[in-house]
Each structure stands twice: as C-alpha cells, then as structure tokens.
Amino acid sequence: MGDNYMDEREKLVLSWSKHMKKATDFDLWGQQLEAIDEYQSLAKQLRVHERESDEFTDEQKKIIGKVAACLELRSTILQQQGLIDGLTLDDLKKVEKTLKNVWSCTSREFPVNVLAAEARIGSQSPRSMQNEKVHLNIDEQNTDDQRDLRIGGTLLPRPIPIEGKTFLYIRIEKIGLKDAHNYIDSFITISVKDMEGVDITVCQDTAVAVKKEDNYIIFGADVYLQKPLEYLPQGYAVFFEFKHYKPKKKVTSTKCWTFFEQDEIKEGLLNLELYKKPTDKKRKKINLLTVKPLFLTLKLSVNS
C-alpha cells in the first residue's frame, strides 16, 4: 500500500514536470498563446494540490505553491507586452528541477524569490494589473520566505531612460533614532502616493540595514522611482516607513514614517523629520516622533 502510494505521487510529479517542460518549450519557440495556456493549466492543478491534497507534506506543499506562483508570473509576463524583467526561462528551468526533486528539497532552498519577482513584475505592469496582484498569498508564505525578503529587500533596478522624461533617484543615507541599536532587521519601505493615499507606483523595500553608528542606522540604499515625474499626478508625495522585526511576536512593525512632496524635489541632501505611527497616507494627521534633531537623510538626483 505504501509503495503504491509513493508510486502515485511520483507519477503525479513526473506528469507535472512533463507539462512544465512542454510549456517552457512553447515559451522558448515563441509560441506565447500555447505557453500561456500550459502555464495557467498547470498552475491551477498545482494550486489544488497545494490547498487540498493530503498526499504531500506541508513542506512539499510550500514548494508546490511556489512553483505555481512562478508559472502564474511567467504567464503574466507573456500576456503583458514590454515586461523585461521578473522571471526568465532560465529561472523556470531551475524551478522545474526543484519540482522534480520535491521529495528532497526544502522551500527555503527554492531557486526563485517569488515575492521579489512579483514586485519587479508589478512595477512594470499597468496599474490595473498591479491592483489585481498575482496569487502569491503573501500572508500565507512561510516565515523563512518573509525573512529572506526582508533581508534582501525588493529594490528595483534603474528604469530604462525615456527621451524627454525626468526620473528621480533617491539614496537613503541613514535614519536617526535615539535607540538605534535596539532595532532588529530594520528596513525602509518606499512608496509614492497620490493625494488620496493611493499607491501610484509599486512599493519597494530596502535590504535590511547591517551598520549602526551612535544614534544612526546606516542604509546607503539606492531607490529608483519607476515612473517619470511627468507621469505622476499633481500633489503626490514619496513616503518612507521605517520598519523592524519583533522576534518575540514574530511580526514586522512600523516604528515611524516620513515623506516629501513634489515641490521639495531638488538635487542634493534632504533631511526629513520623523513622525509617529500610524502612517497617514493622506498627510492630514501628522505628529512628530521626537523634538531631537534626528532625521531621515536622503540624497536626491534628478536625471532627464
């Protein structure tokens, strides 16, 4: 009975691997419609087994869910013309190998950071696609995934220049806090919001800061806004939320936040005062965190 049970599982995984190979072959040959159909069909099968199957362990289900997420992301790339980054065929070949070896791999060893890939793809997609989100179920990802994402961050690459358009690059130098040395796995989330507090570009997270000096946490992180300033609506602001990990509660918490508005954009250093949480996305209820001269220090560069 046990051997037959294992045989059925192995046959199922082998079938999935064959379907994935078929899909990637279509993708390689430029047959996008056929590839999309195969990716979506296999992803649906994997999602069913991820949620409902009692044939696989919890760890194996995590891997199966990640494979499904990769297939969904690749399908999104093929459907949206102009997406140039996110998840490549080479990535999928590594994923296929992991699927074949689902018995001996762990989810922590998964070759693709699916949450970071989703962030990269979302930054290039139309706003409607960003709002829909690929079904990665971030809240359901295991703790290791979330910590890996915190440590590595989700900062996006420098966007391709557009003739006649202006891009803003931000270097996050440091943040000043009286108890700077107490924060664990601290990072900053960057977002651009309109006057109603709605995100108008994809949010980005810095990598976890590893250096502290006196009352400062040093980031040295380069952030590239993914849309030209000319494409942003009047009254927008760039937000920065300082976050850290609380191991006892196993949660990521926001300590403070700040922002600058479009009329503050100019080349050079910019010191922003810090505000108490919660983040007020509409910028109407703002309370200083401290009266001490402690700031978020940025360096702005405007390229056209």
Side-chain angles (χ1 to χ4, degrees), residues 62-220:
K62 290 174 185 176
I63 295 173
I64 290 169
K66 288 185 176 185
V67 174
C70 289
L71 298 177
E72 291 161 352
L73 287 171
R74 186 62 188 174
S75 176
T76 298
I77 290 172
L78 296 182
Q79 291 177 77
Q80 298 297 311
Q81 297 297 321
L83 296 189
I84 58 173
D85 191 17
L87 193 72
T88 66
L89 269 174
D90 285 340
D91 290 330
L92 281 187
K93 289 177 182 178
K94 296 174 184 176
V95 170
E96 182 184 354
K97 185 177 180 181
T98 300
L99 180 60
K100 286 181 179 179
N101 297 288
V102 67
W103 324 110
S104 57
C105 295
T106 67
S107 61
R108 189 175 178 82
E109 297 170 331
F110 199 78
V112 173
N113 188 326
V114 292
L115 299 181
E118 191 271 346
R120 290 195 297 271
I121 292 169
S123 73
Q124 304 170 71
S125 301
R127 183 169 173 178
S128 61
M129 287 295 297
Q130 292 183 31
N131 290 338
E132 287 176 11
K133 293 287 185 183
V134 177
H135 303 296
L136 295 185
N137 297 324
I138 290 177
D139 291 339
E140 297 175 8
Q141 295 292 321
N142 66 355
T143 303
D144 288 340
D145 291 338
Q146 293 176 343
R147 188 170 192 276
D148 287 346
L149 191 60
R150 283 202 310 276
I151 291 173
T154 60
L155 292 181
L156 296 163
R158 182 191 297 263
I160 297 174
I162 300 175
E163 186 175 355
K165 301 302 178 184
T166 308
F167 286 89
L168 176 64
Y169 306 144
I170 305 166
R171 184 170 182 83
I172 301 178
E173 298 283 6
K174 60 185 179 180
I175 188 170
L177 296 162
K178 63 179 182 180
D179 49 355
H181 286 269
N182 293 337
Y183 296 100
I184 299 171
D185 284 0
S186 56
F187 64 98
I188 292 176
T189 295
I190 305 96
S191 59
V192 185
K193 304 182 190 297
D194 65 16
M195 295 181 70
E196 297 302 315
V198 176
D199 288 325
I200 50 180
T201 68
V202 69
C203 297
Q204 303 182 55
D205 293 333
T206 68
V208 163
V210 295
K211 186 177 180 181
K212 298 175 182 178
E213 294 179 354
D214 299 325
N215 289 331
Y216 292 94
I217 299 174
I218 312 299
F219 283 94

